PDB file of all heavy atoms in Angstrom:
ATOM      1  N   SER A 515     -33.462   7.748-139.167  1.00 96.00           N
ATOM      2  CA  SER A 515     -34.858   7.426-139.304  1.00 96.00           C
ATOM      3  C   SER A 515     -35.600   8.722-139.775  1.00 96.00           C
ATOM      4  O   SER A 515     -36.445   8.686-140.671  1.00 96.00           O
ATOM      5  CB  SER A 515     -35.299   6.991-137.945  1.00 96.00           C
ATOM      6  OG  SER A 515     -36.593   6.588-137.951  1.00 96.00           O
ATOM      7  N   HIS A 516     -35.220   9.852-139.192  1.00 96.00           N
ATOM      8  CA  HIS A 516     -35.819  11.119-139.558  1.00 96.00           C
ATOM      9  C   HIS A 516     -35.583  11.471-141.025  1.00 96.00           C
ATOM     10  O   HIS A 516     -36.411  12.041-141.743  1.00 96.00           O
ATOM     11  CB  HIS A 516     -35.230  12.230-138.633  1.00 96.00           C
ATOM     12  CG  HIS A 516     -35.741  13.586-138.916  1.00 96.00           C
ATOM     13  ND1 HIS A 516     -37.036  13.969-138.507  1.00 96.00           N
ATOM     14  CD2 HIS A 516     -35.221  14.652-139.481  1.00 96.00           C
ATOM     15  CE1 HIS A 516     -37.254  15.210-138.868  1.00 96.00           C
ATOM     16  NE2 HIS A 516     -36.121  15.634-139.499  1.00 96.00           N
ATOM     17  N   GLU A 517     -34.358  11.177-141.495  1.00 97.00           N
ATOM     18  CA  GLU A 517     -33.972  11.504-142.854  1.00 97.00           C
ATOM     19  C   GLU A 517     -34.216  10.359-143.891  1.00 97.00           C
ATOM     20  O   GLU A 517     -33.752  10.443-144.992  1.00 97.00           O
ATOM     21  CB  GLU A 517     -32.438  11.837-142.905  1.00 97.00           C
ATOM     22  CG  GLU A 517     -32.051  13.037-142.040  1.00 97.00           C
ATOM     23  CD  GLU A 517     -32.438  14.387-142.587  1.00 97.00           C
ATOM     24  OE1 GLU A 517     -33.116  14.381-143.670  1.00 97.00           O
ATOM     25  OE2 GLU A 517     -32.161  15.415-141.946  1.00 97.00           O
ATOM     26  N   ARG A 518     -34.960   9.416-143.450  1.00 95.00           N
ATOM     27  CA  ARG A 518     -35.194   8.173-144.229  1.00 95.00           C
ATOM     28  C   ARG A 518     -35.541   8.422-145.673  1.00 95.00           C
ATOM     29  O   ARG A 518     -35.086   7.702-146.577  1.00 95.00           O
ATOM     30  CB  ARG A 518     -36.311   7.370-143.527  1.00 95.00           C
ATOM     31  CG  ARG A 518     -36.191   5.946-143.761  1.00 95.00           C
ATOM     32  CD  ARG A 518     -37.431   5.199-143.286  1.00 95.00           C
ATOM     33  NE  ARG A 518     -37.411   3.924-143.911  1.00 95.00           N
ATOM     34  CZ  ARG A 518     -37.102   2.796-143.300  1.00 95.00           C
ATOM     35  NH1 ARG A 518     -36.813   2.791-141.995  1.00 95.00           N
ATOM     36  NH2 ARG A 518     -37.058   1.664-143.937  1.00 95.00           N
ATOM     37  N   ASP A 519     -36.382   9.445-145.918  1.00 95.00           N
ATOM     38  CA  ASP A 519     -36.867   9.690-147.273  1.00 95.00           C
ATOM     39  C   ASP A 519     -35.777  10.010-148.278  1.00 95.00           C
ATOM     40  O   ASP A 519     -35.965   9.811-149.469  1.00 95.00           O
ATOM     41  CB  ASP A 519     -37.952  10.786-147.306  1.00 95.00           C
ATOM     42  CG  ASP A 519     -39.207  10.286-146.642  1.00 95.00           C
ATOM     43  OD1 ASP A 519     -39.284   9.085-146.389  1.00 95.00           O
ATOM     44  OD2 ASP A 519     -40.114  11.095-146.375  1.00 95.00           O
ATOM     45  N   LYS A 520     -34.682  10.525-147.795  1.00 97.00           N
ATOM     46  CA  LYS A 520     -33.640  10.881-148.759  1.00 97.00           C
ATOM     47  C   LYS A 520     -32.514   9.817-148.759  1.00 97.00           C
ATOM     48  O   LYS A 520     -31.495   9.979-149.368  1.00 97.00           O
ATOM     49  CB  LYS A 520     -33.063  12.286-148.541  1.00 97.00           C
ATOM     50  CG  LYS A 520     -32.288  12.419-147.258  1.00 97.00           C
ATOM     51  CD  LYS A 520     -31.672  13.858-147.193  1.00 97.00           C
ATOM     52  CE  LYS A 520     -30.740  14.014-146.059  1.00 97.00           C
ATOM     53  NZ  LYS A 520     -30.403  15.413-145.756  1.00 97.00           N
ATOM     54  N   CYS A 521     -32.764   8.673-148.092  1.00 97.00           N
ATOM     55  CA  CYS A 521     -31.716   7.637-147.975  1.00 97.00           C
ATOM     56  C   CYS A 521     -32.062   6.473-148.861  1.00 97.00           C
ATOM     57  O   CYS A 521     -33.205   6.058-148.990  1.00 97.00           O
ATOM     58  CB  CYS A 521     -31.647   7.091-146.556  1.00 97.00           C
ATOM     59  SG  CYS A 521     -31.147   8.330-145.366  1.00 97.00           S
ATOM     60  N   VAL A 522     -30.995   5.870-149.457  1.00 98.00           N
ATOM     61  CA  VAL A 522     -31.206   4.682-150.300  1.00 98.00           C
ATOM     62  C   VAL A 522     -30.014   3.757-150.197  1.00 98.00           C
ATOM     63  O   VAL A 522     -28.869   4.244-150.041  1.00 98.00           O
ATOM     64  CB  VAL A 522     -31.516   5.080-151.767  1.00 98.00           C
ATOM     65  CG1 VAL A 522     -30.425   5.975-152.355  1.00 98.00           C
ATOM     66  CG2 VAL A 522     -31.722   3.883-152.668  1.00 98.00           C
ATOM     67  N   GLY A 523     -30.252   2.463-150.221  1.00 98.00           N
ATOM     68  CA  GLY A 523     -29.120   1.489-150.201  1.00 98.00           C
ATOM     69  C   GLY A 523     -28.833   1.044-151.656  1.00 98.00           C
ATOM     70  O   GLY A 523     -29.718   0.585-152.367  1.00 98.00           O
ATOM     71  N   ILE A 524     -27.565   1.158-152.008  1.00 98.00           N
ATOM     72  CA  ILE A 524     -27.132   0.680-153.347  1.00 98.00           C
ATOM     73  C   ILE A 524     -25.907  -0.253-153.093  1.00 98.00           C
ATOM     74  O   ILE A 524     -24.878   0.210-152.568  1.00 98.00           O
ATOM     75  CB  ILE A 524     -26.740   1.844-154.267  1.00 98.00           C
ATOM     76  CG1 ILE A 524     -27.912   2.797-154.464  1.00 98.00           C
ATOM     77  CG2 ILE A 524     -26.203   1.302-155.604  1.00 98.00           C
ATOM     78  CD1 ILE A 524     -27.641   4.024-155.398  1.00 98.00           C
ATOM     79  N   LEU A 525     -26.064  -1.469-153.500  1.00 98.00           N
ATOM     80  CA  LEU A 525     -25.047  -2.448-153.257  1.00 98.00           C
ATOM     81  C   LEU A 525     -23.758  -2.164-154.059  1.00 98.00           C
ATOM     82  O   LEU A 525     -23.786  -1.794-155.211  1.00 98.00           O
ATOM     83  CB  LEU A 525     -25.608  -3.799-153.710  1.00 98.00           C
ATOM     84  CG  LEU A 525     -24.828  -5.074-153.273  1.00 98.00           C
ATOM     85  CD1 LEU A 525     -24.935  -5.263-151.786  1.00 98.00           C
ATOM     86  CD2 LEU A 525     -25.414  -6.308-153.980  1.00 98.00           C
ATOM     87  N   ASN A 526     -22.591  -2.376-153.381  1.00 98.00           N
ATOM     88  CA  ASN A 526     -21.331  -2.218-154.109  1.00 98.00           C
ATOM     89  C   ASN A 526     -21.195  -3.332-155.147  1.00 98.00           C
ATOM     90  O   ASN A 526     -21.776  -4.389-155.046  1.00 98.00           O
ATOM     91  CB  ASN A 526     -20.133  -2.398-153.154  1.00 98.00           C
ATOM     92  CG  ASN A 526     -19.986  -1.189-152.234  1.00 98.00           C
ATOM     93  OD1 ASN A 526     -20.408  -0.092-152.551  1.00 98.00           O
ATOM     94  ND2 ASN A 526     -19.384  -1.450-151.075  1.00 98.00           N
ATOM     95  N   GLY A 527     -20.338  -3.063-156.102  1.00 97.00           N
ATOM     96  CA  GLY A 527     -19.947  -4.084-157.089  1.00 97.00           C
ATOM     97  C   GLY A 527     -18.482  -4.351-156.957  1.00 97.00           C
ATOM     98  O   GLY A 527     -17.815  -3.939-156.045  1.00 97.00           O
ATOM     99  N   ILE A 528     -17.978  -5.106-157.970  1.00 97.00           N
ATOM    100  CA  ILE A 528     -16.530  -5.314-158.000  1.00 97.00           C
ATOM    101  C   ILE A 528     -16.019  -4.903-159.337  1.00 97.00           C
ATOM    102  O   ILE A 528     -16.727  -4.913-160.339  1.00 97.00           O
ATOM    103  CB  ILE A 528     -16.108  -6.789-157.628  1.00 97.00           C
ATOM    104  CG1 ILE A 528     -16.628  -7.757-158.670  1.00 97.00           C
ATOM    105  CG2 ILE A 528     -16.614  -7.159-156.297  1.00 97.00           C
ATOM    106  CD1 ILE A 528     -16.224  -9.195-158.339  1.00 97.00           C
ATOM    107  N   ASP A 529     -14.748  -4.487-159.334  1.00 97.00           N
ATOM    108  CA  ASP A 529     -14.105  -3.985-160.519  1.00 97.00           C
ATOM    109  C   ASP A 529     -13.519  -5.212-161.213  1.00 97.00           C
ATOM    110  O   ASP A 529     -12.458  -5.753-160.807  1.00 97.00           O
ATOM    111  CB  ASP A 529     -13.004  -3.009-160.173  1.00 97.00           C
ATOM    112  CG  ASP A 529     -12.298  -2.413-161.374  1.00 97.00           C
ATOM    113  OD1 ASP A 529     -12.492  -2.930-162.475  1.00 97.00           O
ATOM    114  OD2 ASP A 529     -11.625  -1.372-161.180  1.00 97.00           O
ATOM    115  N   THR A 530     -14.132  -5.661-162.264  1.00 96.00           N
ATOM    116  CA  THR A 530     -13.691  -6.912-162.928  1.00 96.00           C
ATOM    117  C   THR A 530     -12.416  -6.741-163.725  1.00 96.00           C
ATOM    118  O   THR A 530     -11.869  -7.693-164.186  1.00 96.00           O
ATOM    119  CB  THR A 530     -14.813  -7.502-163.783  1.00 96.00           C
ATOM    120  OG1 THR A 530     -15.265  -6.509-164.653  1.00 96.00           O
ATOM    121  CG2 THR A 530     -15.967  -8.039-162.944  1.00 96.00           C
ATOM    122  N   SER A 531     -11.979  -5.498-163.874  1.00 95.00           N
ATOM    123  CA  SER A 531     -10.668  -5.324-164.554  1.00 95.00           C
ATOM    124  C   SER A 531      -9.523  -5.580-163.551  1.00 95.00           C
ATOM    125  O   SER A 531      -8.389  -5.811-163.927  1.00 95.00           O
ATOM    126  CB  SER A 531     -10.523  -3.948-165.198  1.00 95.00           C
ATOM    127  OG  SER A 531     -10.515  -2.917-164.207  1.00 95.00           O
ATOM    128  N   VAL A 532      -9.866  -5.561-162.285  1.00 97.00           N
ATOM    129  CA  VAL A 532      -8.849  -5.866-161.226  1.00 97.00           C
ATOM    130  C   VAL A 532      -9.072  -7.279-160.671  1.00 97.00           C
ATOM    131  O   VAL A 532      -8.155  -8.018-160.479  1.00 97.00           O
ATOM    132  CB  VAL A 532      -8.937  -4.821-160.080  1.00 97.00           C
ATOM    133  CG1 VAL A 532      -7.958  -5.168-158.967  1.00 97.00           C
ATOM    134  CG2 VAL A 532      -8.733  -3.399-160.589  1.00 97.00           C
TER     135      VAL A 532
END
Side-chain angles (χ1 to χ4, degrees):
S515 186
H516 181 74
E517 299 285 2
R518 208 190 162 103
D519 288 351
K520 68 176 187 193
C521 296
V522 57
I524 301 179
L525 192 69
N526 288 335
I528 64 181
D529 184 345
T530 52
S531 65
V532 178

